[in-house]
């Protein structure tokens, strides 16, 4: 089962979720979304807490108040971390999580350690934890199915984007060809007309009428 919470410090609320045990943590590591951000107490055992952003958003888009909500929730769900003051919570995008052979269930490291941010948590703030717990919803979630469906949507959007880019490239190429043709036609000698007279003008009055 997966535990879902709503951070209502922003509008619309942002979904926060975590696994109930280390086995579900393993599935969350495996079946996360690109816009998921992972939180954990640094150097202590704790729940794996995720915040799910909107498609296209990055961790730079997380409001500080939501980061604080996640940090308080992960602290509250750490046996050792919940007892201590002045702990550090780390967070990173889901796609930076790395599993290596021999790791225990639910254990994880990072592809890029420089892509990990830290937030200091001085103490537990019960008002935040209680507010989040009031929104808690426990669901039986087929994480693999959700991931498959999401990947289908992403592939469809990628195809549509690629098709639109090709259409735009074709349109621009057609405009370029037309512009080049217009320029070539402008300087086509067979279409040019000269005002030069092939014979002498005998009637000066008639010649002047040409310019009236």
């Amino acid at each position: 089962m997966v535990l879902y919470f709503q951070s209502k410090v922003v509008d619309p609320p942002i979904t926060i979720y975590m696994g109930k045990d280390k086995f579900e943590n393993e599935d969350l590591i495996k079946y996360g979304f690109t816009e998921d951000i992972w939180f954990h107490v640094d150097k202590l055992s704790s729940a794996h807490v995720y915040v799910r952003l909107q498609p296209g958003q990055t961790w730079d888009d997380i409001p500080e108040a939501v980061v604080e909500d996640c940090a308080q929730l992960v602290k509250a769900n750490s046996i050792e971390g919940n007892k201590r003051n002045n702990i550090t919570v780390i967070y990173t995008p889901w796609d930076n999580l790395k599993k290596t052979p021999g790791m225990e269930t639910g254990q994880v490291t990072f592809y890029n350690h420089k892509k990990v941010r830290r937030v200091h948590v001085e103490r537990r703030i019960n008002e935040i934890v209680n507010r989040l717990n009031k929104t808690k919803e426990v669901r039986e979630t087929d994480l693999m199915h959700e991931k498959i469906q999401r990947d289908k949507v992403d592939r469809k959007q990628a195809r549509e984007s690629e098709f639109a880019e090709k259409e735009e490239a074709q349109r621009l190429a057609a405009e370029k060809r037309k512009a080049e043709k217009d320029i070539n036609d402008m300087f086509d000698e067979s279409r040019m007309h000269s005002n030069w007279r092939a014979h002498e003008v005998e009637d000066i009055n008639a010649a002047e009428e040409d310019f009236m």
Side-chain angles (χ1 to χ4, degrees):
M1 291 183 290
V2 180
L3 283 61
Y4 292 89
F5 306 82
Q6 294 294 313
S7 176
K8 297 183 178 180
V9 293
V10 292
D11 186 23
I14 289 181
T15 299
I16 301 172
Y17 66 97
M18 66 182 185
K20 194 171 183 180
D21 53 38
K22 64 180 182 179
F23 299 103
E24 284 196 334
N25 287 339
E26 190 76 13
D27 286 341
L28 293 177
I29 294 167
K30 186 175 182 180
Y31 298 119
F33 290 8
T34 305
E35 58 272 12
D36 288 347
I37 310 298
W38 174 91
F39 288 76
H40 197 275
V41 175
D42 192 24
K43 299 177 182 178
L44 293 175
S45 176
S46 78
H48 292 215
V49 171
Y50 294 80
V51 58
R52 176 154 292 173
L53 302 177
Q54 294 299 313
Q57 289 185 315
T58 71
W59 64 341
D60 292 323
D61 299 313
I62 308 177
E64 289 186 12
V66 175
V67 172
E68 184 176 26
D69 274 8
C70 293
Q72 284 291 328
L73 188 61
V74 76
K75 171 180 168 57
N77 286 277
S78 168
I79 295 175
E80 286 299 318
N82 193 40
K83 298 175 184 177
R84 301 185 187 181
N85 290 331
N86 297 309
I87 66 164
T88 298
V89 170
I90 56 176
Y91 63 106
T92 192
W94 165 80
D95 56 12
N96 193 38
L97 301 179
K98 179 182 179 182
K99 290 289 294 186
T100 58
M103 276 188 168
E104 295 182 5
T105 301
Q107 189 177 7
V108 70
T109 185
F110 312 111
Y111 287 103
N112 183 356
H113 287 266
K114 293 182 179 180
K115 200 176 180 181
V116 178
R117 294 178 181 172
R118 290 167 171 78
V119 57
H120 176 255
V121 181
E122 182 179 355
R123 61 182 179 84
R124 171 173 169 147
I125 302 177
N126 287 325
E127 293 84 355
I128 294 178
V129 177
N130 292 340
R131 168 170 52 78
L132 291 171
N133 281 333
K134 286 179 182 178
T135 70
K136 182 169 68 175
E137 182 181 351
V138 182
R139 300 183 212 160
E140 289 283 354
T141 305
D142 188 338
L143 297 170
M144 183 174 70
H145 177 73
E146 281 191 351
K147 179 66 173 176
I148 291 172
Q149 295 305 310
R150 172 54 189 273
D151 287 347
K152 286 181 179 179
V153 171
D154 287 347
R155 286 194 297 270
K156 180 181 178 182
Q157 290 178 343
R159 288 194 301 268
E160 290 175 348
S161 178
E162 182 180 2
F163 180 75
E165 289 177 0
K166 286 182 178 179
E167 279 196 326
E168 179 65 9
Q170 291 172 353
R171 185 186 68 80
L172 293 174
E175 286 185 353
K176 182 180 179 181
R177 289 193 298 270
K178 182 179 183 302
E180 291 174 345
K181 182 178 183 301
D182 290 344
I183 292 173
N184 291 334
D185 288 348
M186 187 183 302
F187 293 99
D188 186 347
E189 291 185 0
S190 66
R191 299 190 178 191
M192 290 184 178
H193 300 283
S194 174
N195 290 327
W196 179 77
R197 293 177 179 274
H199 56 276
E200 291 294 331
V201 177
E202 296 181 358
D203 187 346
I204 188 63
N205 292 326
E208 288 178 349
E209 289 179 357
D210 290 344
F211 296 95
M212 294 178 66

